[in-house]
């Protein structure tokens, strides 16, 4: 059993510095934060610690900036966590939130020396230092020297063996899970190891590679797999359907062919599609069955959407897991399939099915459909991490934590 922040006596935190790995890797458009779910999900742990008199030091990465060394030019400011610190201060209100312009070194030490009990300090993007991703031991030592206790509340980054998720916690005697990480692990373990049946999987998006591990594990237990999004075209090609110029993942086609032959009776593929010659073309039409040459599929069609929706909404028990949009939902005329599915997921939840959503895109799609987080049993903070966990892969950032 993972040890969590609540397993330590309250007094352990009084006046102590607690280094918390969070995942504030949110979408930023010109400094404006898009979906802030990942930020909000760290609040229970942050509040737990501040209420017990801790000085909370938060560290995170943001995006994939080109790392620099001290001798090189300044890091790319568009990856700065400064806007996140501002957003965080708007959410926590009563605690003081400050921001450090680096994540190690004298500037950070000075900020920490000035902290009082209950204060929160967010460090600048860890990935501004190349040593984060290489799990450099000296860098780990520098991070570890900042605090007395280590907490990981970044489930969505726990598949990475980086300094902040792996090398640094190793240097702490006390390294425990945050409240949200613990909840994620419990929920996803249930889906992976003993899902309430029937288990329905709904897979969209584009990257088949990321989903193979999870599918291998879950298909054994699943009753139905509904395939949509760009992933569907590789399945359709493997099935002998014509797909026009739709994207195909040829590298993973052999795996798809194998999965189809083994689980054909469990797998449902789209029977119609919203097609267009190009993403920005105004000529959009519906193709039943085969997709004509020169056309690209951008969304599931009306019939498919109805079939999938009927199946999902008919569930009054069991588990439904959704990862990946059904089409290019960012563009209005390719968003209907995804929006229908999002609304249907909410219906299944209200009727008593356990519903789980994973992947940043999927949450965004859900919001666009007007479905709230409260209409899903569990929204995972992870994308890649969720799929890895479901596949039973190693999770260095979780495996390294104290067990009881
Ligand atoms: C994510 O968004 O999946 C996590 O924050 C991890 O980011 P990464 O894929 O760049 O390591
Ligand atoms: Mg990722």
């Amino acid at each position: 059993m993972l040890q969590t922040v609540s397993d330590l006596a309250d007094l352990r935190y009084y006046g102590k510095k607690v280094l918390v790995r969070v995942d504030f890797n949110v979408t930023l458009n010109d400094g404006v934060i898009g979906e802030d779910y990942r930020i909000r999900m760290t609040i229970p742990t942050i509040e737990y610690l501040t209420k017990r008199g801790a000085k909370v030091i938060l560290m995170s990465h943001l995006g994939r900036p080109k790392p620099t060394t001290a001798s090189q030019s300044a890091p790319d400011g568009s990856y700065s966590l400064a806007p996140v610190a501002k957003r965080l201060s708007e959410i926590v209100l009563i605690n003081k939130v400050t921001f450090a312009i680096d994540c190690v070194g004298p500037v950070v030490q000075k900020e920490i020396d000035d902290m009082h009990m209950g204060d929160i300090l967010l460090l600048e993007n860890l990935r501004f230092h190349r040593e984060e991703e290489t799990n450099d031991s000296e860098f780990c030592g520098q991070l570890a020297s900042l605090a007395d206790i280590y907490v990981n509340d970044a489930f969505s980054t726990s598949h990475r063996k980086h300094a902040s998720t792996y090398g640094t916690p190793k240097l702490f005697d006390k390294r425990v899970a945050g409240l949200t990480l613990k909840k994620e692990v419990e929920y996803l373990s249930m889906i992976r190891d003993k899902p309430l049946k029937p288990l329905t999987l709904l897979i969209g998006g584009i990257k088949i590679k990321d989903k193979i591990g999870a599918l291998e594990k879950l298909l054994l237990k699943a009753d139905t797999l509904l395939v949509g999004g760009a992933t569907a075209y590789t399945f359709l090609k493997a099935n002998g359907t014509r797909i026009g110029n739709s994207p195909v993942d040829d590298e993973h086609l052999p795996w798809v062919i194998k999965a189809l032959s083994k689980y054909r009776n469990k797998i449902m593929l789209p029977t119609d599609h919203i097609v267009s010659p190009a993403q920005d073309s105004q000529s959009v039409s519906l193709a039943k069955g085969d997709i004509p040459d020169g056309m690209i599929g951008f969304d599931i069609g009306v019939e498919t959407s109805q079939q999938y929706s009927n199946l999902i909404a008919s569930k009054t028990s069991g588990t439904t897991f959704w990862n990946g949009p059904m089409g290019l939902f960012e563009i209005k005329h390719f968003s209907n399939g995804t929006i229908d599915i999002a609304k249907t997921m909410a219906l299944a939840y209200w009727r008593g099915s356990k519903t789980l959503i994973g992947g940043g895109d999927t949450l965004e799609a859900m919001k666009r459909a007007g479905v709230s987080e409260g209409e899903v049993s569990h929204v995972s903070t992870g994308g890649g991490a969720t799929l890895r966990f479901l596949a039973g892969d190693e999770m260095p950032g979780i495996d390294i934590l104290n067990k009881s």
Side-chain angles (χ1 to χ4, degrees), residues 25 38 64 159-160 207 383-384:
N25 183 24
R38 282 180 169 174
R64 295 177 178 171
H159 56 316
R160 303 277 178 237
K207 290 184 232 150

Side-chain angles (χ1 to χ4, degrees), residues 152-190:
N152 180 6
D153 208 21
F155 173 82
S156 43
T157 321
S158 295
H159 56 316
R160 303 277 178 237
K161 208 170 192 167
H162 292 172
S164 62
T165 56
Y166 190 70
T168 302
K170 265 205 213 168
L171 302 173
F172 283 83
D173 185 33
K174 277 293 158 212
R175 41 183 199 264
V176 296
L179 299 170
T180 299
L181 182 132
K182 169 95 184 303
K183 198 171 149 236
E184 287 254 33
V185 167
E186 281 172 358
Y187 213 96
L188 295 174
S189 303
M190 185 276 280

Side-chain angles (χ1 to χ4, degrees), residues 37-335:
Y37 183 68
R38 282 180 169 174
I39 304 176
R40 288 181 285 115
M41 290 311 279
T42 63
I43 301 301
T45 296
I46 294 174
E47 275 189 350
Y48 187 91
L49 297 170
T50 53
K51 277 189 183 151
R52 283 158 183 80
K55 299 171 186 175
V56 178
I57 305 161
L58 306 172
M59 58 174 172
S60 176
H61 73 287
L62 176 74
R64 295 177 178 171
K66 256 214 185 82
T68 60
T69 57
S71 57
Q72 287 174 325
S73 55
D76 180 349
S78 62
Y79 291 98
S80 172
L81 278 163
V84 176
K86 185 164 175 291
R87 181 83 192 95
L88 184 66
S89 69
E90 290 160 1
I91 301 175
V92 292
L93 288 175
I94 52 171
N95 300 87
K96 185 173 153 205
V97 178
T98 45
F99 179 67
I101 55 166
D102 203 345
C103 60
V104 285
V107 205
V108 176
Q109 199 49 61
K110 165 87 179 60
E111 294 283 356
I112 293 176
D113 292 344
D114 290 346
M115 284 175 91
H116 296 110
M117 287 194 285
D119 284 352
I120 300 163
L121 174 70
L122 173 62
L123 308 180
E124 181 57 289
N125 196 343
L126 291 156
R127 289 191 185 168
F128 283 167
H129 292 261
R130 68 174 71 247
E131 295 82 359
E132 159 66 358
E133 287 176 76
T134 58
N135 190 28
D136 175 83
S137 58
E138 204 184 313
F139 184 66
C140 293
Q142 283 179 293
L143 287 173
S145 72
L146 302 178
D148 310 294
I149 297 171
Y150 174 93
V151 175
N152 180 6
D153 208 21
F155 173 82
S156 43
T157 321
S158 295
H159 56 316
R160 303 277 178 237
K161 208 170 192 167
H162 292 172
S164 62
T165 56
Y166 190 70
T168 302
K170 265 205 213 168
L171 302 173
F172 283 83
D173 185 33
K174 277 293 158 212
R175 41 183 199 264
V176 296
L179 299 170
T180 299
L181 182 132
K182 169 95 184 303
K183 198 171 149 236
E184 287 254 33
V185 167
E186 281 172 358
Y187 213 96
L188 295 174
S189 303
M190 185 276 280
I191 305 270
R192 186 187 62 191
D193 304 328
K194 42 176 176 16
L196 288 173
K197 299 271 278 169
L199 172 62
T200 309
L201 309 174
L202 177 64
I203 299 292
I206 188 156
K207 290 184 232 150
I208 296 184
K209 180 169 174 258
D210 294 354
K211 308 178 203 293
I212 287 180
L215 280 178
E216 292 217 322
K217 192 101 186 169
L218 296 177
L219 266 169
L220 290 168
K221 296 178 183 161
D223 298 276
T224 316
L225 166 65
L226 309 171
V227 189
T231 297
Y233 308 118
T234 306
F235 274 79
L236 287 166
K237 183 174 175 183
N239 196 44
T241 309
R242 283 172 54 214
I243 53 162
N245 293 11
S246 308
V248 172
D249 183 342
D250 281 313
E251 192 191 335
H252 299 100
L253 190 62
W255 181 86
V256 173
I257 293 173
K258 239 184 22 224
L260 266 177
S261 71
K262 197 163 166 195
Y263 297 109
R264 191 64 190 91
N265 59 339
K266 293 186 179 184
I267 301 178
M268 277 176 77
L269 301 177
T271 52
D272 62 347
H273 317 271
I274 305 295
V275 300
S276 176
Q279 179 175 327
D280 50 8
S281 161
Q282 289 309 306
S283 141
V284 175
S285 54
L286 179 76
K288 257 188 89 69
D290 290 332
I291 297 179
D293 289 342
M295 286 294 195
I296 304 171
F298 284 108
D299 192 12
I300 54 173
V302 188
E303 182 183 272
T304 307
S305 176
Q306 259 163 22
Q307 276 172 347
Y308 287 10
S309 293
N310 285 343
L311 208 133
I312 296 166
S314 68
K315 299 282 178 289
T316 51
S317 60
T319 315
T320 307
F321 171 58
W322 179 24
N323 173 276
M326 294 291 104
L328 194 62
F329 74 96
E330 294 87 347
I331 297 178
K332 199 167 179 297
H333 44 263
F334 301 134
S335 65

